[in-house]
Each structure stands twice: as structure tokens, then as C-alpha cells.
Amino acid sequence: MLTVESLVNQKLFTIEPTASVRRAASVMECYGIGSLPVVEKGKLVGIVTSRDIRGSHPNRLVADVMTRDVITVPPTVFLTEAQKIMKKYNIERLVVTNENDVIGIVTYAHIMSELSKYTDSLTGLNKAEILYIKALELLKEGREIAVIFLDIDNFGSINKKYGHTYGDDVLRQTALILSGLIDGNKDTLCRYGGDEFAAVASRPLAEAEKLARQMILAIANKNWPDKIKVTISAGVAGGRCTEISATDKDSSYVVKNLINKASLASTKAKKLKKTLVVIDILACKETAVM
Amino acid sequence: MLPRETSRSQEPQRKADIIIKLSEFEVPPMQDIMLVGKRAPIGSEAVRRMVDAVSPEQYEIIRIDHEIFEAVVVKKSLLKLLPKEKLLPVVIDEGNRIADDNMVVKAQINIVIQISRTVDL
């Protein structure tokens, strides 16, 4: 799901380092591709792009124009991680390798195009899939995570009373307020669906709880048009999850469980008429705090 | 009406003159030092393969970070007379004055070492 494997070209073209630039250009033109992994005796030794061959003498060897330090990723790497690597190294292509075998190339444009499918058009926030992937990435890096699940109270009534256009505006404004409160280096926010938002925070549970409180207060204190009252209920789930996610399978389960627990906590907060319920996964402790 | 070609018309004559110039092929084809331009028809890897084939172990290829040259190929025996830190900057500087990045420049180097020693009588 959302890994570079889904974008890898079906047909892979490679070239030898002893081939001429003329030959490389001809292969690229013939198959409409912008780069070729350079392979010698089955081993990846470089990459040559259309930019490398532009302006190079056609008699030159590919070995003399190629980039030798090739950044590679395994097919299982998430698109978000691949995008981060490309930004870090300021490159437009990544070679996908399975152990020592080259299996394809992914481009920045492809990744961005795919990721745009996971952006909510109304609010501009990520969709839920990105939240899930981000949480998995953080767990794999051994970082502490917590999930904050937020639900606008009585959103259906707002839609019915003021109309859906107004409701959409409330969603957009809510997204804007929440985005302003998160730390891009620590937190990833998404529109989970309908009137629900969620954030995965690379923070200890107590800090995530503090952030959730700030979110609740910021929405409640905003001067909404027509002086309507908009409030949100939140559920937070977290607490040293790294200790219970030793394998990838565990990580996936932990993330799903966290999102689910946070979602149920926000529902519980509504029922209890408390605005925030916090669940410590490891201690199996649940607290209604506001 | 077109004039008819008579039997007296001359047949066109075609000849080929063959001029042969023979000289010995210089092995290796480069001299003491070669400066490889960044956009030259051959790059440093091609030069390395050529040198390995025609004069194995006699030349050293040094990749450089320079405005117009990407590599210097230097005869190893020269480096016994003068360290490359002393020799190469001079050759590159002179090459830079006459070459551009499309060229491969070969240089013949004569090194004369002057020694004056004094001994007690």
C-alpha cells in the first residue's frame, strides 16, 4: 500500500558503462524514458539521465557521463519516505533495488502525482492513508507516537441549519486552525473523513494530550461567522508503543489499534460530555480529562 | 531536337591517385601527460580503458575538480622525478591557457634536475 513498488516501471531498460552516449540517447528516445540504470556484470554502477547526456559528446562512454553515487530504495519503501529522500538529495529519480537486483526507477513527478490522490481536496490536508503510513514510519524509526482523533460536535446540525456550503467552510477553517497548531517536524495531520480529523504525533502521551487540549480550545475560542458555536471532542491514544511493536506485523497492528482506540475515545468523550478522553495503551488506562 | 551523340564523342575518364604516407604508430598514442576536457569526445573512463590496454601500469589517471579538465593522465615515471603536487598544477595551468573543455591535450614534458653539491676536500 502506497509503496514505490506500485509505481515501478513494468519494463526496465538498462545500459552498460561501455556503451556510447549516442546509444544511451537512442535507447531513451526510442522508449520515451528519461534515465537508464547503468549495470555492469549484473551490478548497478551508476545512473545516466537525459540531462547527463545533453551536451556530452556522443562518442563518450556512458561511464564518463553517468552519476556514480546512486541513491537506491527497496520496493517496500513508502512513497512519503521516497519523496523525503529525493528532497534531501535534491534528485528527481530513485533506483528501486531488491537486494542487488535493479527492478525499476521511480520519478519525483510520479510520486507527487500518486501522493496527490491522498490529499483531501476540500481542506488540503492529507487523507487517512498518509496518517497510517506516517505512524508506521515513526514506529519503525523507534520513535514514540500518539494518535489524536478529533470530531466536530453536532456537525450534522450545522449543515442542516446553515447549509452545506457553510459546513464546508467550517471544515476548511477547522483544518486551518489545527494546521497552525501542529509542529510539522513532529506531527502529521489528516482529514480522516467527514467531520473527523486525526493527527499522529511523535510525542509522549502527556505532550500529545497537551496538544489536543490546545486544539479543542482553539476551535472553541474562534469567532465563527454568525456567532455559531463550534466545538470538537477529542480522543488521544498512545504511551510507549515502541515497546510493543517489535516486528512490521506488530507495527501495523499497533497503528491500527491506536487509531481505533483514539477514535473510540473521541466518541466516548462525546457521550460523557467531556471534550477529551486519553487512553494509555501500555498501562491500559483511560482518563476523561476535560 | 537534341543533338545525337556521335561515335566520336569521348568516353569520360575516371582515375584514382593513391597517396600513401607511412609512419610508425606511436605506442602509447599519448605522450607524457594528457589533459582530458570535460566535454571532450573521450572521457576519463575511456582513457583509463585505452591506457590499460596499450600501456598497462605505465600511466596514472588522476580525476580532478577543474573548470575545463576532468582528468589528467600522467606517465608514472615522471612522478618519480617530480611529485604530482608540484608537476600537475604547472601543466594544468599552462593547458588552461590554450585549451577548452572540448579538447584532449597531450603534453611532452622534459624535466631537468639541477643539482649542485659540495663536499669537503
Side-chain angles (χ1 to χ4, degrees), chain A residues 28-143:
Chain A
M28 285 186 201
E29 192 183 344
C30 181
Y31 298 105
I33 46 181
S35 62
L36 291 166
V38 185
V39 176
E40 188 172 38
K41 292 175 186 164
K43 194 181 158 204
L44 179 72
V45 293
I47 183 170
V48 62
T49 66
S50 51
R51 191 189 293 173
D52 293 330
I53 62 174
R54 209 175 300 136
S56 291
H57 196 286
N59 281 1
R60 277 200 159 217
L61 297 184
V62 164
D64 279 325
V65 296
M66 69 185 187
T67 303
R68 288 169 189 275
D69 299 324
V70 190
I71 311 290
T72 63
V73 290
T76 49
V77 81
F78 291 123
L79 295 182
T80 47
E81 181 62 19
Q83 183 211 15
K84 214 194 295 175
I85 293 169
M86 286 170 146
K87 269 191 174 173
K88 183 180 170 189
Y89 293 102
N90 194 23
I91 51 175
E92 288 176 10
R93 291 173 177 84
L94 278 176
V95 178
V96 185
T97 54
N98 203 351
E99 296 189 350
N100 289 328
D101 298 330
V102 180
I103 57 171
I105 283 184
V106 286
T107 65
Y108 191 77
H110 272 133
I111 287 179
M112 291 312 290
S113 159
E114 190 65 18
L115 283 177
S116 69
K117 294 177 189 167
Y118 298 93
T119 302
D120 176 52
S121 57
L122 179 68
T123 60
L125 295 181
N126 298 310
K127 288 186 181 173
E129 290 87 346
I130 301 292
L131 181 91
Y132 176 79
I133 287 167
K134 193 68 200 173
L136 271 183
E137 275 178 18
L138 291 170
L139 270 189
K140 279 182 185 169
E141 288 168 14
R143 290 164 73 178

Side-chain angles (χ1 to χ4, degrees), chain A residues 163-178:
Chain A
H164 281 78
T165 314
Y166 193 95
D168 286 351
D169 202 36
V170 168
L171 289 172
R172 270 193 293 266
Q173 289 296 319
T174 303
L176 212 60
I177 293 167
L178 298 179

Side-chain angles (χ1 to χ4, degrees), chain B residues 64-75:
Chain B
I64 55 169
D65 184 17
H66 185 264
E67 196 184 340
I68 63 169
F69 300 121
E70 67 174 40
V72 182
V73 185
V74 57
K75 200 184 250 179

